[in-house]
């Protein structure tokens, strides 16, 4: 049995030698090739990546990572700067490795794809070890590693049997920092001190975890072994294959793993990770429990369609009237002539305008008994404009006035609250944006009145590049779709998710390059994913001696 201290000390050893991140310099960034900005933090597998990798390696869908400590930062669960290996992490990894190895090694013939009774135990193990090690550690095992694992297997076999020897080796491999971390060393660039060009295997790993959230497939590993993941063009070709599949004379289709990665981004960006925990007051919204899962299915289907089946643009995501509903949802939304349980494509231009008007999103940005213009408006300001309002002043009263004969609607109560000068400055940033969605109740249904009074969805956008008046969600989302600030914010969000860290001032040139490529593509998210693989930040890593970058 491996002790947790082995994992922690091993991880620290790798961190201190191969991939120690460096702090951003105070100098303005430059755009010279290979000058990867802001260091390269070593990345530990997220809970999703861990489970996906175990599934791809062993066909085991046990969901072992569900008991790992929760992590996250910058809105995403893969922020490498916050992924510290604690003793609790190490213990959870050890327990998971024991369970996985015990289950996999129960049938050595199936695991090793070799009949030891015919070929011999030594021969079966010797053939399996480098093959499995290549996929598990995302690189070939060296001679010393093969020798060490072979010795471990034979010692354990001598104390028990062949299955126990294989189990111990598998357990050790799955607890190694070389499995749990995406170790990147690279080769020094002789023309730029402190800059390292990633190897083909390291780029294969980056590609796979960026686009698929799992270990590289055999095609990626073969390309790395053959020296065919060396140039930016070769990396882009692999990225396109991984996103849309290898045509092979047939029509292109999105890879299911890529679809899951895009869904995972949107779930975190849109605050949908906790949708399963969203609850509504049963007395106020008795229909909620009946349609909750259908609302989630509608949202997932729309994300897939907007990304892969339409033009894939940000504007389509934010403004399309298309949605996908079945008979229960049709009754819920009040749309006629939809029968059956399968989701069908419909257009509802009167009431729907992109992902921000999907029932699941609206319900998640609301309270159990009523809507929340603050939550909905804050989402637009923070997640779409990348503008973070300051925190409320100390001792400010954040409670809304209770309904009265004069203050009936939620908007009326909020406007009375905003009359307090200590509240007005911040609330002007997000309250008007949230009012645009007041025609949708707390579970996403269309409505025209609030407590018997007509709803006012007019408002004004301020502190943006699309300032002006609007009436309702359709006009607001139309403005958002035309905003360069919103487009640039989307690039920032994908940067954080794709690279597993928050951007810094030193990343200005990388962000500028990504924004330009996003614009050239017509703001297509699929092309933004490819662009993420073409930056110096992706293709290189920077060590402690790398020079600062200066913008031109």
């Amino acid at each position: 049995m491996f002790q947790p201290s082995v994992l922690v000390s091993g991880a620290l050893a790798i961190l201190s030698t191969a991939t120690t991140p460096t702090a951003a310099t105070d100098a303005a960034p430059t755009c010279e090739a290979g000058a990867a900005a802001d260091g390269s933090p070593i990345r530990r597998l997220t809970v999703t990546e861990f489970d996906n990798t175990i599934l791809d390696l062993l066909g085991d869908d046990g969901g072992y990572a569900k008991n790992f400590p929760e992590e996250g930062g910058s809105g995403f669960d893969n922020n490498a700067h916050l992924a510290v290996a604690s003793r609790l992490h190490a213990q959870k990894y050890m327990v998971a490795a024991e369970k996985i190895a015990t289950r996999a090694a129960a049938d050595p013939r199936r695991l090793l794809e070799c009949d030891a009774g015919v070929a011999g135990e030594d021969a079966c193990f010797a053939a399996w070890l480098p093959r499995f090690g290549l996929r598990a550690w995302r690189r070939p095992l060296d001679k010393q590693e093969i020798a060490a694992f072979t010795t471990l297997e034979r010692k354990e076999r001598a104390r028990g049997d062949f299955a126990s020897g294989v189990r111990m080796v598998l357990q050790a491999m799955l607890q190694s920092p070389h499995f749990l971390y995406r170790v990147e060393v690279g080769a020094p660039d002789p023309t730029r001190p402190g800059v390292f060009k990633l190897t083909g295997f390291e780029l294969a790993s980056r590609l796979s975890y960026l686009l698929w959230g799992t270990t590289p497939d055999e095609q990626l590993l073969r390309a790395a072994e053959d020296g065919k993941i060396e140039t930016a063009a070769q990396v882009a070709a692999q990225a396109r294959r991984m996103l849309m599949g290898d045509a092979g004379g047939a029509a292109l289709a999105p890879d299911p793993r890529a679809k899951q990665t895009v869904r995972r981004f949107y779930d975190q960006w849109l605050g949908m990770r906790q949708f399963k925990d969203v609850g509504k007051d049963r007395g106020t919204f008795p229909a909620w429990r009946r349609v909750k899962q259908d609302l989630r299915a509608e949202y997932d289907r729309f994300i897939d369609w907007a990304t892969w089946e339409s033009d894939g643009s940000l504007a389509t995501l934010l403004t399309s009237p298309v949605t996908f509903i079945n008979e229960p949802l049709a009754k819920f939304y009040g749309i006629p002539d939809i029968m059956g349980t399968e989701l069908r494509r419909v257009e509802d231009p009167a009431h729907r305008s992109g992902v921000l008007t999907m029932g699941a999103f609206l319900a998640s940005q609301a309270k159990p008994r009523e809507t929340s213009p603050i939550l909905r408006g804050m989402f637009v300001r923070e997640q779409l404009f990348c503008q973070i309002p300051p925190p409320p002043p100390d001792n400010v009263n954040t409670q809304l006035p209770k309904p009265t004969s004069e203050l009936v609607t939620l908007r009326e109560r909020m406007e009375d609250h905003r009359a307090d000068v200590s509240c007005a400055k911040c609330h002007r940033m997000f309250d008007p944006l949230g009012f645009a969605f007041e025609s949708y109740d707390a579970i996403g249904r269309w409505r025209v009145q609030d407590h018997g009074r007509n709803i006012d969805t007019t408002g004004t956008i301020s502190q943006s590049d699309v300032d002006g008046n609007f009436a309702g969600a359709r006009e607001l989302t139309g403005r958002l779709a035309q905003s360069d600030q919103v487009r640039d914010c989307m690039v920032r969000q994908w940067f954080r998710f794709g690279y597993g860290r928050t951007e810094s001032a030193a990343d200005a040139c990388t962000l500028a390059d990504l924004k330009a490529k996003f614009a050239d593509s017509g703001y297509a998210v699929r092309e933004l994913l490819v662009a993420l693989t073409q930056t110096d930040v992706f293709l290189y890593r920077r060590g402690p001696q790398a020079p600062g970058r200066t913008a031109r």
Side-chain angles (χ1 to χ4, degrees):
M1 177 183 294
F2 275 40
Q3 295 300 316
S5 58
V6 174
L7 168 62
V8 176
S9 61
L12 291 176
I14 294 174
L15 281 166
S16 65
T17 56
T19 54
T20 303
T22 57
T25 64
D26 292 332
T30 85
C31 300
E32 287 89 355
D38 203 25
S40 298
I42 189 169
R43 294 165 176 84
R44 180 157 45 81
L45 300 186
T46 67
V47 294
T48 300
E49 292 168 346
F50 183 96
D51 279 341
N52 286 348
T53 301
I54 294 300
L55 176 61
D56 284 349
L57 288 175
L58 300 167
D60 188 340
D61 61 354
Y64 301 95
K66 64 179 177 293
N67 295 319
F68 293 175
E70 290 188 10
E71 297 177 314
S74 299
F76 300 105
D77 63 1
N78 62 350
N79 190 317
H81 287 136
L82 302 180
V84 178
S86 66
R87 180 167 290 274
L88 177 60
H89 283 91
Q91 290 172 337
K92 295 294 186 182
Y93 287 136
M94 181 179 67
V95 171
E98 290 174 350
K99 291 180 178 178
I100 295 165
T102 298
R103 187 172 179 176
D107 185 358
R109 180 175 179 177
R110 178 177 177 274
L111 173 64
L112 275 57
E113 298 179 338
C114 181
D115 188 344
V118 176
E121 293 175 346
D122 288 348
C124 283
F125 181 78
W128 169 81
L129 178 60
R131 186 173 69 247
F132 181 80
L134 173 63
R135 292 210 65 202
W137 285 11
R138 284 86 68 179
R139 62 164 177 80
L141 303 182
D142 61 33
K143 293 181 180 179
Q144 291 79 11
E145 290 162 344
I146 288 176
F149 282 123
T150 301
T151 299
L152 175 63
E153 188 278 325
R154 289 178 179 174
K155 286 183 177 179
E156 189 65 22
R157 192 198 318 174
R159 288 196 292 264
D161 56 14
F162 184 46
S164 62
V166 174
R167 182 181 68 247
M168 183 56 70
V169 168
L170 184 55
Q171 181 180 325
M173 293 186 78
L174 296 182
Q175 289 186 78
S176 168
H178 292 282
F179 170 74
L180 295 170
Y181 288 83
R182 291 157 52 192
V183 180
E184 299 167 346
V185 179
D189 186 325
T191 66
R192 288 179 290 270
V195 174
F196 299 81
K197 175 82 169 65
L198 296 187
T199 69
F201 287 106
E202 290 164 348
L203 286 173
S205 185
R206 278 198 176 187
L207 275 169
S208 192
Y209 282 102
L210 167 64
L211 301 178
W212 285 348
T214 188
T215 195
D217 66 355
E218 291 184 5
Q219 191 167 341
L220 267 176
L221 294 172
R222 277 199 308 273
E225 189 173 26
D226 295 340
K228 294 181 179 179
I229 310 182
E230 302 291 337
T231 67
Q234 290 172 332
V235 169
Q238 288 289 345
R240 294 187 186 284
R241 171 188 74 87
M242 296 169 69
L243 289 172
M244 294 299 292
D246 191 347
L252 293 174
D255 188 285
R257 292 162 292 188
K259 291 174 69 174
Q260 286 299 320
T261 294
V262 170
R263 281 190 189 181
R264 196 164 72 251
F265 167 80
Y266 282 120
D267 272 6
Q268 296 184 62
W269 175 60
L270 292 167
M272 290 289 292
R273 273 194 298 177
Q274 281 73 47
F275 181 76
K276 64 182 185 301
D277 299 321
V278 173
K280 301 297 177 180
D281 180 74
R282 293 186 181 184
T284 308
F285 300 109
W288 172 247
R289 297 180 68 188
R290 296 195 301 271
V291 299
K292 182 177 180 180
Q293 293 310 311
D294 286 331
L295 287 172
R296 174 72 206 208
E298 176 197 19
Y299 159 85
D300 286 339
R301 183 67 186 90
F302 177 81
I303 292 295
D304 287 348
W305 173 83
T307 306
W308 306 103
E309 300 168 42
S310 71
D311 61 3
S313 70
L314 178 59
T316 294
L317 180 78
L318 293 177
T319 64
S320 175
V322 169
T323 191
F324 297 84
I325 60 174
N326 55 16
E327 185 175 355
L329 281 180
K331 293 178 178 178
F332 176 76
Y333 286 137
I335 298 176
D337 303 325
I338 302 294
M339 306 295 290
T341 58
E342 291 188 8
L343 296 177
R344 291 175 49 188
R345 173 178 167 166
V346 300
E347 294 192 17
D348 185 12
H351 301 146
R352 304 295 154 181
S353 182
V355 71
L356 302 187
T357 60
M358 304 294 293
F361 170 79
L362 291 162
S364 67
Q365 301 289 329
K367 296 180 179 179
R369 290 187 176 88
E370 62 183 1
T371 62
S372 178
I374 292 177
L375 287 177
R376 293 170 176 178
M378 284 280 283
F379 174 88
V380 173
R381 186 63 69 178
E382 294 183 350
Q383 299 299 100
L384 286 168
F385 283 110
C386 286
Q387 298 171 351
I388 308 300
D394 293 337
N395 302 319
V396 69
N397 181 13
T398 60
Q399 298 298 315
L400 293 179
K402 294 185 180 299
T404 66
S405 58
E406 294 182 355
L407 305 177
V408 176
T409 70
L410 183 56
R411 176 166 185 160
E412 290 167 346
R413 292 158 56 204
M414 288 184 63
E415 289 179 338
D416 181 79
H417 177 70
R418 200 166 70 244
D420 186 335
V421 293
S422 63
C423 303
K425 182 177 180 181
C426 292
H427 278 264
R428 279 199 301 267
M429 293 183 67
F430 45 80
D431 281 4
L433 304 176
F435 292 145
F437 302 98
E438 275 295 274
S439 288
Y440 305 95
D441 68 12
I443 57 176
R445 291 177 303 192
W446 181 260
R447 63 179 186 168
V448 295
Q449 290 190 329
D450 179 14
H451 291 85
R453 291 191 181 179
N454 291 338
I455 291 173
D456 180 4
T457 61
T458 60
T460 302
I461 303 180
S462 61
Q463 302 180 48
S464 77
D465 61 336
V466 287
D467 285 359
N469 299 325
F470 61 83
R474 291 182 62 199
E475 290 189 14
L476 173 61
T477 57
R479 284 183 176 270
L480 297 176
Q482 298 301 315
S483 167
D484 285 333
Q485 286 180 321
V486 170
R487 294 160 178 164
D488 291 351
C489 183
M490 176 61 84
V491 171
R492 288 182 180 273
Q493 302 291 4
W494 270 106
F495 179 105
R496 296 167 183 173
F497 178 80
Y499 294 156
R501 64 176 176 86
T502 307
E503 74 280 3
S504 74
D507 293 307
C509 290
T510 298
L511 287 167
D513 181 54
L514 289 171
K515 291 171 186 176
K517 290 177 178 175
F518 193 35
D520 289 344
S521 73
Y523 304 102
V525 172
R526 294 193 303 269
E527 290 303 311
L528 179 57
L529 289 175
V530 176
L532 286 170
T533 73
Q534 300 297 287
T535 67
D536 293 333
V537 172
F538 186 86
L539 299 170
Y540 296 81
R541 81 168 182 90
R542 193 184 73 177
Q545 293 79 34
R549 307 179 78 194
T550 5
R552 295 178 178 174

